[in-house]
Amino acid sequence: MAKAKAVADTSLCKGCRLCVGACPVKAIEPLTEINKKGYEIIRINEEKCIGCGCCYRICPDYVFTINTLE
């Protein structure tokens, strides 16, 4: 069975942090780092990510994609 991981395009992030609360394994961490639009961004801990897609479904700014790994 193929595994999946979330990938974030933080240039699209507006810092709402809905994904932080939605992640069932706490793989998304809020940062104080600012993107080019002036918003605080997030980071995905790839070791914790289970590729469930909760972040993808809740994000209003289409920051996330779910990549299938072989």
Side-chain angles (χ1 to χ4, degrees), residues 50-69:
I50 59 173
C52 66
C54 288
C55 56
Y56 174 83
R57 288 189 296 277
I58 202 163
C59 182
D61 298 307
Y62 305 102
V63 170
F64 299 94
T65 55
I66 307 299
N67 291 343
T68 303
L69 307 172

Side-chain angles (χ1 to χ4, degrees), residues 36-56:
K36 290 182 181 182
K37 294 180 181 178
Y39 298 106
E40 290 183 346
I41 60 172
I42 51 88
R43 173 179 51 214
I44 300 172
N45 181 327
E46 293 182 19
E47 297 296 318
K48 290 182 178 180
C49 180
I50 59 173
C52 66
C54 288
C55 56
Y56 174 83

Side-chain angles (χ1 to χ4, degrees), residues 12-18 35 39-41 61:
L12 300 174
C13 185
K14 291 186 181 167
C16 71
R17 312 233 169 140
L18 290 172
N35 66 12
Y39 298 106
E40 290 183 346
I41 60 172
D61 298 307

Side-chain angles (χ1 to χ4, degrees), residues 21-36:
C23 182
V25 294
K26 307 296 182 219
I28 302 174
E29 305 163 350
L31 302 177
T32 56
E33 184 179 332
I34 306 292
N35 66 12
K36 290 182 181 182

